[in-house]
Amino acid sequence: MTLRDRPPVVSVARAFYQRATEEVARDLLGKLLVVRSEDGSVTVRVTEVEAYLGPSDAACHTRGGLRTARNRTMWGPAGHAYVYLVYGLHHCLNVVTVGEGRGEAVLLRGARVEEGLELVRRRRGGSVPKRRLCDGPGKLCQALGVTRALDGADLCTADAQLAFLDDGVAAPALEVATLPRVGVDYAGEAASWQLRFLWRRPDSAPRVTGGTDPRSPEGRR
DNA sequence: GCGTAGATCGTCT
DNA sequence: GACGATCTACGCT
């Protein structure tokens, strides 16, 4: 792809988030997520997400209409970050969907680092293999420097610290696996709902940065 | 590569 | 007081 062919990079507008949560989840695969901080900026490409469908979803923090101090953001307007702590030590990043009063969101579970690799390595530890840097919700937050300080952050303002960008890359339907969500066995029937979306071959996407790719052809997997 | 155990503390009942 | 939208290290195959 030449510079001329490359589609423009645009930030994702609020209307994108104001849709059915499953659609937002599916469409977030392939989007770029940029997080800016004092340490620098990191850009990743989303490869794995989960949808949480509000009061009727027994695996969701807003199940049964539950309103607490923690999930307050989740009940708010779409296009904001919902960040919480699990197991007392790991952060999880979500994007609020649909609209105010719905309690629905998409959890970011996995991504591939596109820019800011040095900073990610500093945060995650130098010995971690590149493909393992962001392959879990807690690891992703650590790599991006996301903490509860970003809970409630608006993703759609011009100066957003946290934002999704669209550079024209999308996960082809054939490469997207639909699976049950992870770690929600307590949720009864909802535990088997196919609301986890995994882009199985993100490496096949055209590279956006970095010029020539020195890697040898894709070998083992 | 797979399975298991322990860490660790905020949140909710 | 119990539990959790997880991670890492470790042992085994």
Side-chain angles (χ1 to χ4, degrees), chain A residues 127-138:
Chain A
S127 61
V128 181
K130 191 182 174 194
R131 58 183 301 117
R132 314 235 73 162
L133 286 169
C134 303
D135 63 345

Side-chain angles (χ1 to χ4, degrees), chain A residues 30-81:
Chain A
K31 295 284 185 292
L32 295 172
L33 170 59
V34 187
V35 181
R36 305 174 185 90
S37 72
E38 287 180 358
D39 301 334
S41 140
V42 173
T43 303
V44 299
R45 192 177 297 282
V46 179
T47 58
E48 185 178 354
V49 297
E50 283 178 359
Y52 285 85
L53 304 185
S56 62
D57 179 357
C60 188
H61 283 179
T62 57
R63 69 185 85 96
L66 188 70
R67 285 176 186 263
T68 66
R70 177 175 68 159
N71 71 20
R72 189 166 168 270
T73 301
M74 217 174 158
W75 288 106
H80 288 248

